[in-house]
Amino acid sequence: MSWLTRVRNGIPFLPKRQIGDTLWHKCGKCGSMVFTKEWEDNLFVCPRCDHHDRIGPKARFEMLFDSEHYRFLPTPEVREDPLRFKDSKRYVDRLKAARAATEERDALITARGTIGGRGVIVGVQDFAFMGGSMGIAVGAAIVAGIKAAIEAKVPYLLFTAAGGARMQEGILSLMQMPRTTVALAQLREAGMPYIVVLTDPTTGGVTASYAMLGDVQLAEPGALIGFAGQRVIEQTIREKLPEGFQRAEYLLAHGMIDMVVHRAELTARLATLIAYLAPEKAAA
């Protein structure tokens, strides 16, 4: 760094110059270099190959809710590190690092607002937080969101993105599968719709539980959706899997999901579904 650059950076009222890392975005699929502003304006979708990049809760909420207006639901307090787990790092240290990187409490954030003028509760799983892994906190957040939807008599929407259960919590993580399933049964008994949007990637115990229990199952284009990994399956059955196996389009063709929706059309499609499934407008 030259002395001139150091002097310039030390003057607080001068605008910071954009550097290559912030000015350009490299597509993870086609490798094209795209202006970051163009990529963001295109809803974090590559304008060259249509690759849908992973996005966090805040960006998702701003795309979904009417006038970008919403309010967060409090994250339930849960016991952290119940097994006092340690591998190459302590689990508590991994949690601290994930919270510092994402500025979130855990891997699932819930918010309340309106879509198409109708009140909804929306949960978004954040893959950036320890791979979106399903632990006690994620299970508690889903249950709390479902209870809020029942109380407010509004639909519950969930955007999934996870590598599966959180290994640092062992069996307690796996117990979130039946726990959330029971809560969803209560939502169904209350007559409120449950809509799932599967995003890249949705795998493991998440796929084996709440991710595939929606009244309507949507997915973003190209999303990886499955239980075990492709290599594990091929080694188990000793066969080569078909092209595009476990991608959203393949699952749609084989009846596993209801529709694949481009991110630019997703809000409008959800508004239509909500209007059909919950015709009575509820307050946000």
Side-chain angles (χ1 to χ4, degrees), residues 8-37:
R8 177 184 174 86
N9 291 342
I11 302 175
F13 56 81
L14 288 180
K16 300 296 182 184
R17 291 178 176 173
Q18 286 187 302
I19 59 175
D21 290 342
T22 59
L23 190 61
W24 295 91
H25 168 78
K26 184 177 181 180
C27 175
K29 183 179 180 181
C30 70
S32 297
M33 298 299 292
V34 183
F35 276 115
T36 301
K37 184 69 167 60

Side-chain angles (χ1 to χ4, degrees), residues 177 180-181 184 188 194 196 208-217:
M177 297 167 66
T180 53
T181 301
L184 288 170
R188 187 164 288 113
Y194 171 47
V196 180
S209 56
Y210 56 80
M212 300 303 291
L213 294 176
D215 297 310
V216 183
Q217 301 282 148

